Amino acid sequence: MRLEIGNFQVQNIEFGVESSYENGTLTINKEEALAVVLRDEHITEADIILTKPGDDVRIVPVKEAIEPRFRLNAGPTFPGITGKIERVGNGKTVALKNCSVLAVGKHWGSFGDGLIDMSGEGAKYSIFSKLNNICLVADTDEEFERHQIQKKNHALRWAAHRLAEYLGSIVKDMTPDSTELFELAPITKRDEKVQGLPSVVFVMQPQSQIEESGFNDLVYGWDTNTMLPTYMHPNEVLDGAMIGGSYMCCSSKWSTYDFQNCPTIKSLYNEHGKTINFLGVIMSNLNVSLEQKERAAMFVQQIASNLGADAAIITEEGYGNSDADFIECIRLLEEAGIKTVGLTNECTGRDGLSQPLAALDVAADAIVSCGNVSTLIELPPMGTVIGELESLMRDGLSGGWAGDEKLGPSVREDGSIIMENNSMFCGDSTLGQSIKTVIEF
C-alpha cells in the first residue's frame, strides 16, 4: 500500500467571507462550517471558537480531537463515520497540520472528557496546547445521557468529524507545502536486505471495555468491543480507519488525532529498511473477563509468531483492568521468543508510591512509562474559558471532584483549579507523543 499525505502548514486561522487557504492562513466561512455541523438535528446549539498557542484560554470539557483531512480518492475521510465503509491507507490524502478540531461540550462533561490550557503551567501537559485549535462548542438534545458519568456524545463527536472533513476539503485542489510518503510492501514481497533485518510488529490495544456500543474506539466504524485481534496495515491507522472513543479516562485516551499522527508508527517507518523490517500493526482489544483477555492475548501471540516477528512494541489505551490484557500479551509474546517493549502510563497514586500497574509479570522487564495518572496538578485562573469550567467538578470528569476533605473542590472561587493528571486531555500520549520522563531517586 502506498499513502501520500499532502501537508499544509497552518500558521494562522481566521473567519472570513470565503473558506480558503493561502500563505499559511486558513480562512473559515463560519456560517458554512456550522451548516455542516448542524446537519444532525440532535445538535441544538453550536458555535466555533478559534484559539492559538499562547492564548490565555482554558478549554473544558474536551471530548475529541481530529486533524482536518480530506481523501482525494473520492471516498470518505473517516469511513463508517462520514461515509460508507471503504478501505483507506492507499492513494492520496491532504492534511491541515499544526491544527485540530476539538469537540467541546457547551455545558455538560463526562468521565472521559478533559482539559487543555493554551498557555501557562498547564500548557506543558498536552500536545494540543501547541496547536491552532478550532473549537466546536455545542450542546445536544441527548437528554438520556446528560446526567450520566459516561456519555457517548455521539452527535457532537460525529459533527466534529464532519467539520474536520469539510475543513480538509478546502485544500483538496491545491499543491501541498510538503508530502509524506508511507509505503510498505506485502511481507512476502520484500527484498532480501529488508528480510534480513530484525522484524518488528506494533501491537495496539485501543480502549474497548464497555460492552454497550457507542463508548469505545472504532475501526472502520466498528465498535472494537466486538472484534478479535487482527492484522492491519499501518497506513490504515494513519489514514482515518481508527476513531477515538468517548470512554477512557482522559489523560490515557487516544483521540482520532493521535491515531492519525501516531509517532510510533512513523518512527518504525523511518527505521524500516535501515535497522528493522517493520511488519505492520496488530490491532488488538481490551477486554472485561479473564477468559476474553487470555483469548485475545493468544491471538496476538499467534499473529505475531506467524508474521515472523523477532520483536514487538505494545501499547495500551488505559490502565487498571486493562493492565491485565497488556501484561498477558507481553508474557505470551516473550514466551514465543518475541522480545517485547511496552508503552503505558501508571496509576501510582497521588503520592506515587502505589504499584504502577494492576497486573505485573517478570516477562514485562522493558516498559516505557508515560506518566502517572494520579499526579496532582494545580493551575491558576485563565482569562477565558471555552466550554464550562464547572463541568470539571460537577460532571464526574475522571480527575476532578466536587469536594475533598483536604483539597476542597477542583474548581475554586477565583477560577484556579486542582485536579489529577487524569483530566488532562490525552496528556500521557501512550502512542509515543509523551514528553514526560522518569526521575530515579
Side-chain angles (χ1 to χ4, degrees):
M1 294 181 74
R2 178 187 172 93
L3 172 65
E4 290 184 34
I5 300 181
N7 293 323
F8 294 80
Q9 302 297 329
V10 176
Q11 305 302 326
N12 180 51
I13 305 178
E14 59 187 33
F15 292 119
V17 175
E18 182 178 355
S19 292
S20 62
Y21 173 85
E22 185 176 5
N23 297 326
T25 294
L26 176 67
T27 302
I28 302 171
N29 179 314
K30 190 173 184 179
E31 183 178 349
E32 193 171 280
L34 283 173
V36 173
V37 169
L38 294 169
R39 288 176 190 168
D40 190 333
E41 61 184 11
H42 293 291
I43 296 179
T44 55
E45 52 181 315
D47 194 11
I48 297 173
I49 302 173
L50 307 177
T51 186
K52 63 183 183 300
D55 283 352
D56 187 20
V57 167
R58 176 164 290 151
I59 314 170
V60 65
V62 184
K63 302 171 181 296
E64 168 69 302
I66 310 119
E67 183 171 83
R69 293 196 181 179
F70 190 81
R71 289 184 65 229
L72 302 182
N73 300 42
T77 304
F78 305 103
I81 306 299
T82 60
K84 63 181 181 179
I85 298 172
E86 180 177 301
R87 192 180 184 190
V88 295
N90 206 39
K92 296 182 178 181
T93 292
V94 289
L96 298 176
K97 309 302 289 187
N98 305 321
C99 68
S100 75
V101 172
L102 298 180
V104 184
K106 192 176 181 71
H107 299 299
W108 302 99
S110 171
F111 182 78
D113 295 350
L115 175 145
I116 299 170
D117 273 0
M118 296 303 295
S119 63
E121 172 69 13
K124 71 182 184 183
Y125 290 96
S126 175
I127 63 168
F128 294 95
S129 66
K130 300 174 179 62
L131 302 178
N132 295 289
N133 290 310
I134 303 145
C135 301
L136 171 58
V137 186
D139 202 3
T140 75
D141 65 2
E142 296 166 305
E143 295 292 334
F144 64 93
E145 65 176 17
R146 172 160 287 182
H147 299 290
Q148 299 296 316
I149 290 179
Q150 294 289 358
K151 297 179 177 64
K152 297 179 181 180
N153 295 305
H154 181 275
L156 176 52
R157 290 169 57 235
W158 263 233
H161 283 85
R162 290 196 304 275
L163 178 59
E165 186 176 62
Y166 161 76
L167 295 172
S169 72
I170 293 171
V171 296
K172 63 184 175 66
D173 297 320
M174 301 180 66
T175 301
D177 301 323
S178 63
T179 300
E180 291 179 282
L181 176 62
F182 301 97
E183 187 171 14
L184 205 59
I187 292 170
T188 59
K189 304 298 183 183
R190 299 174 186 178
D191 61 40
E192 290 185 10
K193 177 192 172 186
V194 174
Q195 296 280 16
L197 295 170
S199 296
V200 181
V201 69
F202 185 32
V203 182
M204 302 176 69
Q205 294 181 309
Q207 188 52 235
S208 55
Q209 291 185 287
I210 299 292
E211 294 180 327
E212 180 184 343
S213 294
F215 296 97
N216 302 305
D217 293 345
L218 302 175
V219 52
Y220 285 104
W222 185 26
D223 195 304
T224 49
N225 179 262
T226 59
M227 70 177 283
L228 283 171
T230 187
Y231 175 80
M232 289 183 71
H233 197 287
N235 288 7
E236 295 176 277
V237 180
L238 297 176
D239 198 30
M242 300 299 302
I243 300 298
S246 68
Y247 156 59
M248 194 57 220
C249 305
C250 209
S251 73
S252 305
K253 76 189 296 182
W254 301 342
S255 67
T256 299
Y257 182 98
D258 292 305
F259 283 114
Q260 293 171 302
N261 293 279
C262 179
T264 301
I265 288 179
K266 291 187 176 184
S267 294
L268 289 166
Y269 252 119
N270 287 338
E271 293 302 315
H272 178 68
K274 300 173 186 174
T275 61
I276 64 167
N277 176 14
F278 180 25
L279 298 174
V281 173
I282 299 174
M283 191 63 67
S284 185
N285 54 351
L286 296 167
N287 301 278
V288 178
S289 72
L290 181 60
E291 181 182 288
Q292 291 169 340
K293 295 173 188 293
E294 291 173 340
R295 182 184 298 112
M298 182 186 70
F299 271 100
V300 170
Q301 181 198 51
Q302 171 189 306
I303 296 169
S305 297
N306 286 321
L307 288 174
D310 299 308
I313 298 173
I314 181 171
T315 181
E316 65 167 330
E317 181 186 8
Y319 62 91
N321 182 282
S322 61
D323 293 341
D325 304 73
F326 178 68
I327 293 296
E328 181 66 2
C329 275
I330 293 176
R331 188 184 73 80
L332 289 186
L333 288 168
E334 289 279 348
E335 180 184 89
I338 299 168
K339 297 297 182 183
T340 305
V341 174
L343 284 171
T344 184
N345 53 9
E346 307 174 50
C347 184
T348 58
R350 292 176 181 176
D351 58 7
L353 298 178
S354 299
Q355 179 173 306
L357 303 178
L360 293 171
D361 191 276
V362 293
D365 58 1
I367 293 179
V368 178
S369 172
C370 300
N372 174 18
V373 300
S374 304
T375 298
L376 281 176
I377 299 172
E378 291 192 66
L379 300 174
M382 300 292 274
T384 300
V385 173
I386 296 176
E388 188 178 52
L389 185 58
E390 289 71 24
S391 66
L392 179 64
M393 66 175 183
R394 184 193 63 210
D395 298 334
L397 271 66
S398 50
W401 55 84
D404 182 277
E405 289 184 5
K406 295 182 179 179
L407 302 174
S410 280
V411 180
R412 296 159 175 159
E413 290 185 6
D414 65 353
S416 64
I417 61 174
I418 182 168
M419 66 182 203
E420 290 184 353
N421 177 48
N422 259 316
S423 280
M424 195 60 68
F425 185 76
C426 297
D428 293 336
S429 300
T430 60
L431 285 179
Q433 298 192 55
S434 176
I435 60 171
K436 296 172 184 174
T437 187
V438 174
I439 298 175
E440 185 172 335
F441 292 94

